[in-house]
């Protein structure tokens, strides 16, 4: 008798737990968008024609600051800047922002601008 009473009381409880478990929805809140860190690369002068000729020297000084071949880097950077009026941001790469700077090639087909 005790077992039947226990079954009668537990059976509805189990059914209720199963129903609640299957119909329960889990609400997941998406995280708030995080602010992006500011771009540390100087972006002034990274689009074609956005520099003045007098701005080439400081831009090229920064562009060539990490190379061990500073003198040739400065020579060609200033030459390219005078023609394209653009120097890519950073000390290396990012040439996609200055198509003229990127597409000017040597006679052998290598990049002319550092």
């Amino acid at each position: 008798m005790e077992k039947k009473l226990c079954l009668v009381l537990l059976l509805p409880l189990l059914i209720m737990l199963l129903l609640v478990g299957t119909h329960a929805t889990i609400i997941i809140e998406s995280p708030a968008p995080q602010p992006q860190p500011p771009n540390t690369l100087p972006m002034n002068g990274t689009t074609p024609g956005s520099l003045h000729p007098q701005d080439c020297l400081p831009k090229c000084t920064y562009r060539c600051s990490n190379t061990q071949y500073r003198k040739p880097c400065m020579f060609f950077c200033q030459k390219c800047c005078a023609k394209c009026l653009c120097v890519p941001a950073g000390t290396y790469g990012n040439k996609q922002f200055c198509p003229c700077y990127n597409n000017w090639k040597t006679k052998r087909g290598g990049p002319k601008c550092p």
Side-chain angles (χ1 to χ4, degrees):
M1 178 85 173
E2 232 178 86
K3 287 184 179 183
K4 285 183 182 180
L5 183 62
C6 192
L7 262 174
V8 170
L9 292 175
L10 285 178
L11 190 60
L13 183 64
L14 286 174
I15 291 172
M16 198 163 59
L17 284 174
L18 286 173
L19 288 175
V20 170
T22 57
H23 292 293
T25 57
I26 299 173
I27 299 172
I28 299 174
E29 292 183 25
S30 60
Q34 298 296 319
Q36 297 296 322
N39 190 357
T40 57
L41 297 175
M43 293 303 288
N44 183 18
T46 58
T47 56
S50 63
L51 281 179
H52 298 289
Q54 64 268 21
D55 296 330
C56 289
L57 182 62
K59 292 290 180 185
C60 286
T61 301
Y62 178 71
R63 179 81 177 164
C64 297
S65 64
N66 284 350
T67 182
Q68 60 183 351
Y69 305 105
R70 187 171 174 81
K71 194 169 183 177
C73 180
M74 286 294 292
F75 175 79
F76 286 107
C77 181
Q78 289 183 52
K79 189 172 189 168
C80 295
C81 181
K83 178 182 177 185
C84 302
L85 294 177
C86 178
V87 175
T91 57
Y92 183 79
N94 301 317
K95 290 184 179 182
Q96 69 272 15
F97 296 111
C98 297
C100 168
Y101 196 96
N102 188 35
N103 298 333
W104 199 10
K105 305 292 182 194
T106 64
K107 292 178 187 176
R108 292 181 171 175
K112 187 164 192 99
C113 305

